[in-house]
């Protein structure tokens, strides 16, 4: 009994001692107003500044919390709303207050008013406070001094707004109607002024689909792209597109949040929407890189991204996507700075085996070079064997092969005829391959997609075993037949057809012998009466009918402007727009898919 009394007494004391926040109280008092997660301000200094701030909070009926963080992996507007509501900040029934968010990683500052704070602190006044903080920071002031001055400045503004504060103190004031739009979306699109926010985070995960480690790695990779190429890139996820088309939503985020480098805001954004029934992603590019994002490029990067998205490996997929963008911007040394000014030429002493990634030995290169030289001279062309690393510039292996031949002086005759066997070796050791030409079927009849497809298939068994040398020899041997006869000798079909004929003849002969032994010869009718049924005016007639429709077993090939075939050909399932406008009127190109 004594133990039971002791338990209830302890429980009573606990409830008595623990400060509880009642919804009837005008403001929550048991949470710190100054929250420094970077440890720039000591705990004692935080508590002291909190006490001074609370005196002003109660005096003016207006809350003024501060949050200082090193990093933020959400849009700062999204995080500000969450931080304010989750900690139940705000004074009175309208939750009046002004929140200061500081992200020290990139010195990003954000102010947002709530309740009476929306009316009292205009954009002009918020900018004045931000400029005060920036000036003090540039002069070497610490965060304790800065926050102290900030609180005094806020109190000074409140002191001349007593009428508005009183209006919001005791009754619910009907504020601005809530918009079904993200918090970063401008109130008036027509009044929006473009700006560059170099401090903003380049990974914004508002859908919470990445781990902290993945976000950190993404930022490192993006920084590399920014430093080496001077091109911006941002990754943005959200739980909704707010009714916008994915392409418009991605472009609006990029423009209205100040992303992009330079006066033309050069850069791109990958937006991933996780809205149920509307899941998908979109790449939007603007500025100097807008023309780089062709339909082939979009299809190529989407082909690589899709398996990750479908499997739910979002972080890994985006990391791979950023690698693809890095390779996309990597311009080879031989690529002209200005395509329009390029003048075609014929190179002297050109090598017909260019092994950029080391898949052949010196002896193999010598052997392949001799055979390629023979093939080229005999059939009046340039036959090139080209190996490359992982790159998607131009969209496909075939595009890369044609570009290499064109810009390095390959090709014979007025039309610069060249045929290229391209081998791609990725950093992980994966091999892809393709066969293409610099001229079309109209200029050389044997350059059909079917022929290139057969060359590709003949190389497959060797390439899948990593035997690049054997595959190259086989492709050259069959290419010789293509030039000579106009088609690729499809050896496996010949064997299969021959075997099929032998098997067919065997079974036909066996069936004939069996039927001959089981059936007797019928006597030949010599009179028409033999076909007449006695006692009937009806003639009986039976007839065998063949199926009068035909099913083609020929493979249907996709037509393209230039004949080629490679294992990395794009599936072409992305929605693509070569040029479109954001809601703010800026021009973008890009594409994406649903999943």
């Amino acid at each position: 009994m004594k133990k039971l009394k002791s338990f209830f007494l302890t429980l009573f004391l606990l409830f008595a001692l623990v400060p509880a926040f009642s919804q009837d109280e005008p403001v929550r008092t048991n949470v710190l107003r100054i929250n420094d997660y970077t440890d720039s301000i000591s705990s004692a200094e935080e508590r002291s500044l909190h006490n001074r701030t609370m005196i002003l909070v109660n005096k003016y009926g207006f809350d003024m919390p501060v949050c200082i963080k090193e990093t933020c992996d959400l849009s700062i507007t999204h995080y500000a709303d969450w931080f304010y509501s989750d900690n139940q900040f705000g004074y009175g029934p309208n939750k009046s207050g002004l929140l200061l968010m500081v992200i020290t990683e990139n010195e990003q500052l954000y102010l947002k008013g709530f309740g009476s704070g929306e009316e009292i602190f205009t954009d002009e006044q918020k900018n004045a406070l931000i400029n005060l903080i920036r000036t003090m920071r540039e002069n070497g002031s610490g965060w304790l001094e800065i926050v102290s001055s900030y609180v005094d400045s806020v109190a000074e503004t409140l002191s001349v707004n007593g009428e508005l504060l009183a209006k919001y103190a005791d009754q619910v004031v009907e504020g601005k109607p809530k918009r079904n739009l993200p918090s970063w979306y401008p109130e008036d699109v027509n009044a929006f002024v473009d700006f560059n926010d170099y401090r903003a985070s380049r990974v914004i995960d508002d859908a919470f689909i990445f781990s902290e480690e993945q976000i950190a790695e993404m930022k490192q990779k993006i920084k590399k792209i920014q430093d080496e190429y001077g091109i911006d890139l941002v990754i943005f996820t959200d739980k909704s597109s707010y009714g916008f088309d994915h392409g418009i939503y991605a472009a609006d985020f990029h423009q209205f949040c100040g992303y992009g480098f330079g006066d033309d805001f050069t850069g791109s954004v990958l937006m991933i929407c996780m809205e149920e029934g509307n899941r998908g992603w979109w790449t939007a590019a603007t500025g100097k890189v807008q023309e780089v994002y062709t339909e082939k490029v979009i299809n190529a990067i989407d082909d690589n991204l899709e398996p990750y998205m479908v499997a739910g490996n979002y972080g890994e997929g985006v990391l791979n996507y950023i690698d693809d963008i890095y390779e996309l911007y990597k311009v080879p040394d031989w690529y002209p700075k200005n395509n329009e000014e390029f003048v075609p030429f014929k190179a002297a002493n050109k090598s017909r085996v260019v092994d950029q990634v080391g898949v052949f030995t010196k002896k193999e290169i010598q052997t392949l070079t001799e055979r390629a030289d023979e093939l080229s001279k005999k059939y009046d062309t340039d036959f090139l064997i080209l190996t490359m690393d992982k790159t998607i510039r131009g969209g496909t292996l075939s595009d890369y092969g044609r570009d290499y031949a064109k810009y390095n002086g390959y090709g014979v005759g007025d039309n610069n005829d060249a045929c290229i066997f391209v081998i791609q070796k990725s950093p992980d050791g994966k091999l892809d391959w393709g066969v293409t030409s610099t001229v079309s079927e109209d200029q050389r009849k044997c350059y059909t997609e079917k022929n290139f497809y057969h060359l590709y298939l003949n190389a497959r068994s060797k390439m899948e075993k990593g035997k690049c040398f054997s595959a190259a020899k086989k492709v050259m041997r069959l290419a010789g037949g293509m030039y000579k006869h106009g088609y690729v000798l499809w050896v496996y079909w010949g064997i299969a057809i021959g075997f099929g004929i032998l098997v067919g003849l065997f079974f036909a002969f066996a069936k004939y012998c069996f039927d001959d032994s089981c059936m007797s010869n019928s006597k030949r009718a010599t009179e028409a009466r033999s076909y007449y049924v006695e006692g009937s005016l009806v003639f009986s007639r039976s007839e065998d009918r063949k199926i009068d429709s035909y099913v083609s077993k020929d493979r249907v090939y996709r037509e393209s402007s230039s004949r080629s075939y490679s294992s990395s050909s794009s599936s072409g399932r992305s929605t693509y727009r070569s040029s479109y406008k954001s809601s703010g009127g800026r021009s973008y190109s890009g594409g994406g898919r649903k999943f």
Side-chain angles (χ1 to χ4, degrees):
M1 190 69 177
K2 287 182 179 180
K3 288 183 179 180
L4 189 61
K5 287 181 179 180
S6 177
F7 169 76
F8 281 113
L9 180 61
T10 303
L11 194 63
F12 171 79
L13 290 172
L14 280 172
F15 277 105
L17 292 173
V18 174
F21 172 62
S22 169
Q23 294 297 327
D24 296 331
E25 295 179 32
V27 66
R28 185 178 183 183
T29 58
N30 63 332
V31 288
L32 285 174
R33 262 41 186 190
I34 312 302
N35 297 270
D36 176 24
Y37 299 101
T38 66
D39 296 326
S40 300
I41 304 174
S42 68
S43 298
E45 290 168 337
E46 268 187 337
R47 175 60 64 179
S48 175
L49 193 51
H50 163 79
N51 292 335
R52 186 160 72 85
T53 302
M54 285 307 299
I55 292 172
L56 297 173
V57 169
N58 290 310
K59 177 180 179 180
Y60 293 108
F62 189 90
D63 211 350
M64 48 185 83
V66 175
C67 177
I68 304 174
K69 278 177 61 69
E70 185 176 352
T71 62
C72 180
D73 299 324
L74 307 175
S75 57
I76 197 166
T77 55
H78 184 97
Y79 186 76
D81 288 339
W82 173 83
F83 184 81
Y84 196 87
S85 62
D86 192 64
N87 287 288
Q88 300 179 42
F89 289 124
Y91 194 99
N94 298 287
K95 299 297 180 185
S96 296
L98 180 70
L99 172 65
L100 168 63
M101 293 287 301
V102 179
I103 308 300
T104 60
E105 178 186 46
N106 42 32
E107 295 287 313
Q108 195 175 8
L109 305 175
Y110 178 68
L111 282 169
K112 180 165 184 180
F114 300 85
S116 61
E118 288 188 84
E119 287 195 60
I120 295 172
F121 289 91
T122 63
D123 288 341
E124 183 180 354
Q125 288 170 316
K126 286 189 286 189
N127 286 334
L129 287 169
I130 288 174
N131 289 334
L132 167 70
I133 296 171
R134 292 206 188 285
T135 301
M136 293 184 69
R137 192 67 178 159
E138 289 168 4
N139 292 333
S141 298
W143 286 114
L144 176 63
E145 183 183 356
I146 291 172
V147 173
S148 181
S149 297
Y150 160 79
V151 170
D152 290 339
S153 297
V154 171
E156 187 178 338
T157 302
L158 295 174
S159 65
V160 295
N161 283 278
E163 190 175 330
L164 265 175
L165 290 168
K167 174 185 172 183
Y168 279 81
D170 301 319
Q171 58 182 344
V172 175
V173 177
E174 199 167 319
K176 298 177 183 178
K178 297 290 183 183
R179 304 180 305 159
N180 184 31
L181 289 170
S183 54
W184 48 261
Y185 210 87
E187 293 282 347
D188 184 356
V189 172
N190 296 323
F192 175 79
V193 179
D194 284 327
F195 67 101
N196 299 97
D197 190 351
Y198 298 107
R199 296 184 174 90
S201 175
R202 263 49 190 178
V203 181
I204 304 298
D205 184 22
D206 283 353
F208 301 99
I209 60 175
F210 306 140
S211 68
E212 291 182 7
E213 293 76 16
Q214 288 171 338
I215 290 172
E217 189 175 352
M218 288 175 198
K219 289 180 178 178
Q220 288 178 353
K221 289 176 179 285
I222 291 173
K223 184 71 165 51
K224 186 177 181 182
I225 291 174
Q226 292 173 330
D227 292 344
E228 292 190 22
Y229 303 128
I231 298 171
D232 199 11
L233 172 64
V234 58
I235 307 298
F236 170 53
T237 74
D238 207 341
K239 294 180 179 178
S240 171
S241 64
Y242 294 86
F244 286 100
D245 166 90
H246 284 175
I248 299 295
Y249 191 62
D252 285 355
F253 173 81
H254 189 267
Q255 180 176 8
F256 296 145
C257 292
Y259 291 104
F261 289 168
D263 295 336
D264 59 357
F265 304 95
T266 291
S268 66
V269 55
L270 170 65
M271 187 280 297
I272 301 173
C273 177
M274 296 300 293
E275 184 177 13
E276 197 63 40
N278 188 35
R279 289 187 175 184
W281 70 87
W282 189 277
T283 296
T286 190
K288 294 182 181 65
V289 296
Q290 185 173 347
E291 63 181 15
V292 174
Y293 285 83
T294 63
E295 186 171 8
K296 287 181 179 178
V297 167
I298 289 294
N299 281 324
I301 60 179
D302 285 353
D303 281 346
N304 291 343
L305 180 59
E306 184 170 41
Y308 294 97
M309 302 302 288
V310 172
N313 299 324
Y314 309 116
E316 291 179 33
V318 171
L319 286 168
N320 187 68
Y321 172 93
I322 297 172
D323 289 339
D324 282 344
I325 300 304
Y326 178 81
E327 297 295 337
L328 175 66
Y329 295 149
K330 185 195 291 183
V331 180
D333 296 336
W334 47 263
Y335 206 84
K337 292 182 179 179
N338 190 330
N339 292 352
E340 296 178 0
E341 296 178 359
F342 174 75
V343 178
F345 67 98
K346 297 288 195 301
N349 302 319
K350 53 199 169 190
S351 174
R352 290 198 169 88
V353 179
V354 180
D355 186 11
Q356 300 179 110
V357 290
V359 300
F360 303 124
T361 65
K362 288 184 178 180
K363 187 176 180 180
E364 288 173 342
I365 291 175
Q366 183 179 354
T367 301
L368 293 175
T369 299
E370 290 172 357
R371 296 193 180 186
D373 285 341
E374 291 174 9
L375 188 64
S376 299
K377 291 172 184 176
K378 187 174 182 179
Y379 296 106
D380 199 28
T381 185
D382 266 344
F383 196 93
L384 170 65
I385 299 171
L386 174 67
T387 72
M388 52 183 278
D389 60 2
K390 186 179 182 223
T391 179
I392 57 169
R393 188 169 185 83
T396 66
L397 274 68
S398 298
D399 293 319
Y400 184 93
R402 282 191 293 269
D403 283 348
Y404 187 91
K406 175 182 177 180
Y407 296 125
N408 286 278
Y410 286 86
V412 173
D414 294 336
N415 59 2
N416 294 312
D417 186 324
C419 187
I420 309 105
F421 178 48
V422 191
I423 297 175
Q424 179 194 60
K425 184 178 182 181
S426 301
D428 60 2
K430 179 185 175 183
L431 291 171
D432 285 325
W433 67 99
V435 186
T436 187
S437 64
T438 56
V439 298
S440 66
E441 182 182 1
D442 294 334
Q443 295 168 296
R444 190 149 194 168
K445 296 299 182 184
C446 66
Y447 288 156
T448 66
E449 190 164 350
K450 182 177 287 188
N451 278 340
F452 286 143
Y453 176 66
H454 288 167
L455 288 174
Y456 159 76
L457 281 185
N458 270 279
R460 182 165 62 184
S461 61
K462 304 292 185 182
M463 291 299 298
E464 288 178 348
K465 296 175 182 177
K467 297 179 178 180
C468 299
F469 175 63
S470 299
K473 286 197 302 180
K474 189 171 187 180
V475 167
M476 280 193 290
R477 178 171 57 80
L478 294 174
M482 177 185 73
Y483 284 117
K484 185 176 181 179
H485 304 292
Y487 58 87
V488 175
L489 179 60
W490 192 211
V491 179
Y492 299 116
W493 281 9
I495 294 174
I497 292 171
F499 182 74
I501 291 173
L502 290 175
V503 171
L505 288 172
F506 173 78
F507 280 106
F509 180 74
K511 179 98 168 61
Y512 170 78
C513 293
F514 176 77
D515 290 346
D516 187 60
S517 64
C518 295
M519 297 175 62
S520 59
N521 292 331
S522 59
K523 294 182 179 179
R524 184 177 179 181
T526 56
E527 298 179 357
R529 182 170 296 277
S530 301
Y531 298 95
Y532 175 67
V533 179
E534 291 289 344
S536 172
L537 294 177
V538 179
F539 286 86
S540 63
R541 179 173 181 246
S542 63
E543 180 181 340
D544 290 333
R545 295 182 59 84
K546 293 183 179 180
I547 298 174
D548 54 6
S549 63
Y550 298 88
V551 180
S552 172
K553 292 182 173 60
D554 291 336
R555 182 182 175 87
V556 179
Y557 298 98
R558 177 179 56 84
E559 292 296 326
S560 60
S561 58
S562 55
R563 302 286 172 171
S564 64
Y565 202 92
S566 68
S567 59
S568 63
S569 296
S570 171
S571 62
R573 293 183 290 107
S574 297
T575 301
Y576 175 73
R577 297 177 200 163
S578 59
S579 181
Y580 70 98
K581 301 284 187 181
S582 67
S583 300
R586 186 184 293 169
S587 177
Y588 286 83
S589 65
R593 297 178 184 176
K594 297 290 186 72
F595 70 98

